[in-house]
Amino acid sequence: MSYLPTIPPRFLVTKEAARFLALSARTLEKPRTYGTGPIYRKIGGRVIYAISDLQAWANKGLRYSTSEAGPDIVYPAKWGPILEGPLKQLEDMSEKA
């Protein structure tokens, strides 16, 4: 049995999270605006990211070759509104079934 204390998850503000992902802060803000970025939390007026959420979002873009489709897609920032139409159609189809 281990008596080591558990370390709470580490949270990063936007600038730190962007540095962690090797992106600019603005590049991280855009996907957040459109709903295509990593999961975040809002505490008061401050946006914070858990390191595990940043890693999960980055792992969506994991590829072993340029020809590989990969397990998931990291969408460009503005794809959120573009996807709303097809997503609405899918919802309508599932309601009819």
Side-chain angles (χ1 to χ4, degrees), residues 26-90:
R26 184 69 185 126
T27 301
L28 191 56
E29 289 167 358
K30 282 183 183 180
R32 184 175 71 227
T33 302
Y34 291 103
T36 58
I39 296 170
Y40 67 95
R41 291 151 179 84
K42 194 143 187 184
I43 309 292
R46 181 174 288 202
V47 172
I48 58 172
Y49 297 89
I51 291 176
S52 59
D53 293 334
L54 295 171
Q55 290 171 326
W57 183 69
N59 286 342
K60 288 182 178 182
L62 183 64
R63 303 289 186 275
Y64 293 100
S65 109
T66 56
S67 61
E68 180 185 7
D72 207 347
I73 298 172
V74 176
Y75 290 103
K78 292 187 180 182
W79 274 45
I82 293 170
L83 292 174
E84 286 176 4
L87 290 175
K88 177 70 174 139
Q89 289 176 342
L90 287 172

Side-chain angles (χ1 to χ4, degrees), residues 13-26:
V13 295
T14 302
K15 188 175 179 180
E16 295 168 332
R19 191 176 316 120
F20 178 80
L21 293 168
L23 300 172
S24 73
R26 184 69 185 126

